[in-house]
Amino acid sequence: MPTTTLQIPTPDGPADAFAAFPDGGGRHPGVLMYPDAFGIRPVIREMAQELASHGYYVLVPNYLHRAGSTPVIEIPSYIGGEEREAVVARVMPLIMTHTREQSLTDAEAFLGFLAARPEVAPGPVGVTGYCFGGLVAVRAAAAHPERVAAVAAFHAPVAADGPETFERLTAKAHFGHAAGDVTPEALQELDLALKAAGVDHTSEIYPDTQHGFTMADTDVFDAAGLRRHWDRLLPLLRTALRTALTSG
């Protein structure tokens, strides 16, 4: 599985990124993958490679690039217990100062970069994200309905910007929530907002999961939750990006 590291020009300076794509040449549908708040690290690279093995060019940008290149903060090989609390304490100020406007500026740069890659098939792309990266993914999809055909977010605060964001979403969407993050009542409220906005979506709580459940290098990892995530993400992308997959 070929991989590469990249520098993506943005108005606020270069953003480093990781890309994975199928071997053997050709052009493949693009997927923009926003990592969780802990950033690009081995587990994220492995997930990007897994997704690329299904026929996609996967671009994983460092959306906290204004604070420095990867690793923006030092991340232990296993994020749990007191170490997790310390990592969260270091990364939260960076998340809190990352604005919606910065997300949109970056999305323009990242999507433009994907469109210009010779390995990427022409046409709409998919966007997926984890934790805060899931909210950033939704922002990108809402801001670029003509470019994004599918959006997914996992254990993410997808409603943080309010229902007006959903009103601009035309992409097919899947939102996979941690049981520890969302109550059934909150899920119902979110579903009503998505329906009111006309979003073609699925939104569900993954049983017995905690925030961050997809990340195998943390103490909240849930193997069944990760499998369920792939079972939802892959069909979503395959359906929305079918033409590009076939032509690639």
Side-chain angles (χ1 to χ4, degrees), residues 6-99:
L6 304 158
Q7 293 288 325
I8 303 175
T10 83
D12 296 326
D16 57 293
F18 173 82
F21 45 95
D23 204 353
R27 305 183 77 182
H28 311 280
V31 177
L32 180 58
M33 175 187 281
Y34 287 100
D36 64 356
F38 299 146
I40 301 171
R41 57 197 193 281
V43 70
I44 292 291
R45 295 185 183 95
E46 290 167 8
M47 292 174 73
Q49 290 176 274
E50 173 63 25
L51 183 53
S53 74
H54 293 272
Y56 301 98
Y57 182 100
V58 183
L59 179 67
V60 187
N62 169 22
Y63 56 85
L64 298 178
H65 62 90
R66 293 168 184 84
S69 298
T70 300
V72 177
I73 63 169
E74 289 299 322
I75 300 289
S77 58
Y78 181 74
I79 307 169
E82 292 182 1
E83 282 193 323
R84 180 185 181 89
E85 293 178 9
V87 171
V88 170
R90 291 197 299 272
V91 78
M92 280 306 297
L94 305 180
I95 295 299
M96 297 301 293
T97 57
H98 184 91
T99 66

Side-chain angles (χ1 to χ4, degrees), residues 155-168:
H155 45 86
V158 295
D161 289 345
E164 61 273 11
T165 298
F166 300 148
E167 294 169 5
R168 296 189 293 272

Side-chain angles (χ1 to χ4, degrees), residues 145-164:
E146 76 288 354
R147 298 191 194 183
V148 179
V151 60
F154 302 91
H155 45 86
V158 295
D161 289 345
E164 61 273 11

